[in-house]
Amino acid sequence: ILCTLQVVVALLGAEFSELRARLRSRKNALEEALTRIQDLANRDSLTGLYHRRYSQELLDHHISLQGRSGRAFSLALIDLDHFKAVNDTHGHATGDQVLQIFASEARRVTRESDILARWGGEEFIIVMPDTLAEGARLLVDRLRSSLNELRIETLEPPLQIKFSAGITEHRPGESSDVALTRADRALYAAKVAGRHRTVVDLG
């Protein structure tokens, strides 16, 4: 009887171990699926970039971190030039292609620590931690140079993607709205000055 019980206990132990392993595997798979779902919920479906609501949360988080660490960060608001004309002339499918190309190039030139998001329509935002305004300008210049080398060759004449940008540094203690207003003011100045340029506003 004891021998039989030992065999039964051993078999049950093996089954329980296998069951626990399967449960752990399913739990891990569910957690990974939930993470993917949450990530997709935070992203713009067309460009794959973060959308405005989630990027605002990340911006506010950086402001909170700055309050504890004192580290500076900069942000850039970017607006694609004459985007309405692209849609009106070439159609919304081409407009979508322009947005996707811009997003792809912006992902390529930004750092992993940067926050890159579609702010709305043809407007984008880049939040650059541990970066002063001059460093932010250099990053935006790299993005502009990268886009200058690209053309949508399927159109006649080939289309070049251009943009205007407004850059500012966030000041310790101020809200995100204040910094965003300053960046938006710089963006407006870039457009008034003729577009396809960057303006820095440190207030």
Side-chain angles (χ1 to χ4, degrees):
I1 292 173
L2 287 175
C3 289
T4 302
L5 287 175
Q6 287 176 341
V7 172
V8 170
V9 168
L11 291 173
L12 288 174
E15 288 185 11
F16 281 133
S17 295
E18 185 179 349
L19 179 60
R20 281 196 298 269
R22 287 203 302 269
L23 289 173
R24 276 196 301 270
S25 176
R26 289 179 183 176
K27 179 175 178 289
N28 292 337
L30 286 172
E31 289 175 348
E32 290 176 4
L34 179 60
T35 299
R36 287 197 297 271
I37 290 170
Q38 289 174 334
D39 185 60
L40 287 172
N42 292 330
R43 293 187 180 274
D44 170 61
S45 59
L46 177 65
T47 63
L49 304 181
Y50 292 130
H51 55 55
R52 180 168 184 154
R53 179 184 56 78
Y54 186 63
S55 62
Q56 179 71 62
E57 292 178 8
L58 294 176
L59 175 57
D60 290 336
H61 175 66
H62 272 287
I63 290 174
S64 176
L65 289 177
Q66 185 194 49
R68 295 195 295 269
S69 68
R71 294 178 176 175
F73 71 87
S74 296
L75 57 94
L77 282 179
I78 294 173
D79 190 81
L80 302 188
D81 292 335
H82 305 296
F83 185 74
K84 184 178 184 302
V86 172
N87 278 332
D88 291 345
T89 304
H90 303 291
H92 289 279
T94 299
D96 288 349
Q97 185 183 3
V98 166
L99 294 171
Q100 290 169 333
I101 291 172
F102 176 86
S104 176
E105 287 302 300
R107 271 195 299 262
R108 193 175 66 80
V109 304
T110 51
R111 305 166 301 178
E112 187 175 346
S113 59
D114 295 331
I115 299 168
L116 173 62
R118 186 180 181 190
W119 198 239
E122 68 273 22
E123 196 168 63
F124 298 83
I125 187 171
I126 308 174
V127 180
M128 293 155 274
D130 300 320
T131 305
L132 298 177
E134 187 54 35
R137 179 191 279 276
L138 290 174
L139 185 147
V140 171
D141 286 347
R142 284 200 303 273
L143 175 57
R144 195 185 306 281
S145 296
S146 174
L147 289 170
N148 282 342
E149 298 175 1
L150 295 178
R151 299 287 189 282
I152 300 180
E153 301 290 350
T154 55
L155 302 179
E156 185 57 44
L159 179 64
Q160 182 183 11
I161 302 172
K162 298 181 179 181
F163 67 85
S164 302
I167 292 174
T168 193
E169 291 177 15
H170 177 266
R171 297 170 179 168
E174 71 180 4
S175 69
S176 59
D177 287 342
V178 173
L180 286 166
T181 297
R182 201 161 53 248
D184 192 57
R185 186 172 66 202
L187 174 60
Y188 178 76
K191 287 186 170 294
V192 169
R195 302 176 190 268
H196 195 45
R197 66 195 65 217
T198 301
V199 171
V200 177
D201 186 342
L202 300 179

